[in-house]
Structures are given as C-alpha cells and as structure tokens.
Amino acid sequence: MNLTVDRDTVISRLLGANDILILCHKNPDGDTIGSGTALCLALQRLGKTASVLCSDPIPAMYSYMPIPLFDGSYTPAFVVAVDVAGIQLFGDRNHIQEYAEHVDLCIDHHGSNSGFALETLVEPEAAAAAELLTSLIPAMGVELTPDIAACLYTGLATDTGCFRFTNTTAATHRAAAALIEAGADVESLNERLFECRSHARITAEKMALESLEYYYDDRCALICLTWDQIESAGVDGAELEDLTSLPRSIDGVEVGLTLRQQKDGSYKISVRTGHNTNACSIARRLGGGGHPRAAGCEISGNLDNAKHAILEEVKKELDRAQE
C-alpha cells in the first residue's frame, strides 16, 4: 500500500534510518544522479551508511561527482528512490530489481508517479528532484557543501535545459541561487553540461538530423537513432539527452519526437511539446509519463511499429488541441 507523505515525514524517515541504499533510474540523467548523490553525501555527513545504485553505468560527463556507489559491503535496511516515476524505470542490471521491489521511500517531481514505493513524496511543481532536495537537505540539518551544491545544480540545470524550459519557475531560480551561494561553480558546470560536445555526440546528431521527418502539416517533427548508429558513433547515452529538444526547436513544430533504439531492440521515445499540447498525455497512453511539456515512454517492436504507435497518439493530441 502506497502512502503519500509530506516533507516532515520524509525528514523523519531519513533521520531515523541507517544502512540506506539510494536507487536511481536506468539511463541515468543529471537529475537522478545529481539528486541521488547529493542525498547520499548529506546522509553520510549525518554519520549514516549510505550509497547509490544504478542499473546502468554512470555517464562519463558526470565524473566530477563524488558518487558513493554501492559495493555490497552492507545489507540495505532502508531503500530510497530518487527521481523515479515508475518501477519499470529501474532497469534490470546490477541486481537492482531485488531492491526496486521493496522501496521504502520515493522522492520525486513527476506528477505521473505510479506510487510503487511504500511512501512517496511527489512535488510536481518542482522543476527537478534536485529543486526539492535543495531545501529538503538543509531541513535535515545538513549544510549544502560545494560538492552537494554541484550535484544538485547538475540536476536542476539539466532538467530545465539550463533554465530555458517552461518548468523553470521563480522557485527554481531561488534554488539555483542557494546552490551558487553554497559554492556550486556554475561557470564550469554549465560549460561541461551544455557547451562541450564530443566527436561521437556530433556524429550521432548528424545521423539523427538525416532521419528528420515531418507529419501532420509539419506540426510534428521526428528524429531517430538506431542502436547500430549509437554503437557506431560510440556516443554515451547521457550525451544524447539534450538531443530531445532538437525536433521541437524547429519553427512551427508543436510536437517533437526523438526515438532512440535500445540494446534490446525497443525504442525509448522522448516527447516535447509546445503550449497547446500535453506531452505527458501522449506518453501516458503508451505506458509512459512525465511532465506537460516533456515526457517519454518505451515501445517494443520494430521502428515502423514504434512510429505508428506514437504518431497515432500525437494525432489525437493535436486534434484535441484544435477543438
């Protein structure tokens, strides 16, 4: 049975726990890794045993974070999920499933959270889980050190597209200000996160642009990368995250779709929408979720099947917007 809890309850649970394991979602992005690491460092400063576990390898672009990865040296007594909206998002490597099925507490900002944990704190108005933790960690009695601030800034900046996306609010900027005051080196972080592109990333972007297709009177744009292309480019999955904004950035496009084939053949689909359509509504009808302007889902089968399924839902949403 899942219970929705408030911040005071979350703080009480964390302060009362020990031997804590923090789970991140598969294909880790800056928010799940940054928030998970920040929370772990905060708990360690309280004298607790804590570490982080992720199904997939941590992308090299986040190597500046001092991530205390779980090494199996203790038996977790309390399991926390951070920035994970559904149990299917944990993945199945690194023995993560034996813990994913028994999550005590989930801290999240996705309104589509499925309630898989015993207790859940969800604040959909937060731009990122990192925004939530920027105030939650000090409320636990832990100072925002430069390391913790850098991790949280990573989550905040990446989930808002460096504060360009519509999920950015005044509260988001206040959180960023607190992290800057705590010692986050935003110049170097922004350069690393948004201005540096590897040769592999550029190669993958070129391939994606070559696949560009338009639908529904050019109101929808779609790009795609197959697993073979991703492998041949040698690009890290995390470097492809900002690629999802590319189709939507085209003039006149209301819905942007990015299809990335996974190793198992399925397609991870990222949906980005303008003000007239709802990305979460599109993704949710295919078993996914997210936010009104940014959401995602996964579809099994070949590329034609994936395109057909997602484009059907896009058409429904575009038709609804015109009613």
Side-chain angles (χ1 to χ4, degrees):
M1 179 179 177
N2 172 261
L3 295 175
T4 300
V5 296
D6 59 17
R7 286 179 170 230
D8 288 341
T9 301
V10 168
I11 292 168
S12 175
R13 297 288 186 266
L14 292 171
L15 293 180
N18 206 345
D19 295 331
I20 302 163
L21 182 63
I22 300 167
L23 304 183
C24 299
H25 62 67
K26 64 181 179 179
N27 299 315
D29 60 10
D31 194 25
T32 196
I33 290 298
S35 297
T37 302
L39 179 59
C40 187
L41 295 175
L43 291 167
Q44 288 182 343
R45 289 183 68 83
L46 291 170
K48 299 178 181 294
T49 299
S51 57
V52 174
L53 180 64
C54 184
S55 173
D56 295 326
I58 307 302
M61 65 185 293
Y62 303 128
S63 61
Y64 57 87
M65 294 191 204
I67 308 171
L69 292 173
F70 181 58
D71 60 6
S73 60
Y74 67 94
T75 301
F78 192 80
V79 179
V80 184
V82 178
D83 191 45
V84 184
I87 195 167
Q88 77 280 3
L89 297 175
F90 284 111
D92 54 14
R93 292 184 286 186
N94 274 345
H95 305 287
I96 198 168
Q97 279 299 324
E98 66 180 271
Y99 305 109
E101 295 176 3
H102 307 283
V103 176
D104 297 289
L105 175 65
C106 178
I107 301 172
D108 192 21
H109 69 119
H110 296 95
S112 59
N113 189 286
S114 66
F116 61 89
L118 183 63
E119 295 184 320
T120 305
L121 172 67
V122 178
E123 295 191 2
E125 66 276 11
E131 180 179 322
L132 196 165
L133 285 162
T134 296
S135 54
L136 194 64
I137 286 174
M140 292 166 54
V142 179
E143 177 187 1
L144 292 175
T145 65
D147 276 347
I148 291 175
C151 293
L152 292 174
Y153 183 85
T154 297
L156 201 61
T158 54
D159 255 27
T160 60
C162 204
F163 309 97
R164 292 181 296 109
F165 298 163
T166 55
N167 59 342
T168 306
T169 66
T172 310
H173 284 292
R174 285 193 289 269
L179 297 173
I180 294 170
E181 290 172 348
D185 185 349
V186 296
E187 181 179 4
S188 62
L189 288 169
N190 286 339
E191 180 179 1
R192 185 178 186 113
L193 295 169
F194 303 107
E195 296 178 13
C196 293
R197 297 288 183 270
S198 68
H199 288 280
R201 168 62 172 74
I202 296 300
T203 298
E205 183 172 331
K206 179 182 177 183
M207 292 175 178
L209 284 171
E210 288 171 349
S211 74
L212 178 64
E213 297 174 342
Y214 294 98
Y215 295 89
Y216 311 128
D217 298 324
D218 295 348
R219 291 178 295 161
C220 173
L222 180 152
I223 59 174
C224 176
L225 283 173
T226 66
W227 179 253
D228 286 345
Q229 288 175 319
I230 294 169
E231 286 276 275
S232 67
V235 65
D236 193 308
E239 284 194 274
L240 296 175
E241 289 302 319
D242 67 338
L243 199 65
T244 59
S245 299
L246 197 156
R248 171 67 185 88
S249 69
I250 300 169
D251 185 35
V253 170
E254 175 66 20
V255 181
L257 302 173
T258 304
L259 281 65
R260 282 167 45 194
Q261 189 177 34
Q262 307 299 293
K263 190 174 183 179
D264 65 2
S266 65
Y267 281 85
K268 178 182 179 182
I269 302 180
S270 297
V271 185
R272 300 293 183 266
T273 59
H275 293 283
N276 298 321
T277 48
N278 190 307
C280 189
S281 294
I282 294 169
R284 186 179 286 149
R285 291 194 289 266
L286 292 170
H291 306 284
R293 301 290 167 260
C297 59
E298 288 191 22
I299 298 178
S300 300
N302 61 34
L303 178 58
D304 287 341
N305 288 341
K307 282 185 181 181
H308 178 75
I310 189 64
L311 287 170
E312 262 198 348
E313 299 306 326
V314 169
K315 186 177 188 305
K316 291 177 187 176
E317 186 64 18
L318 287 171
D319 288 346
R320 183 205 59 76
Q322 285 192 320
E323 292 176 354

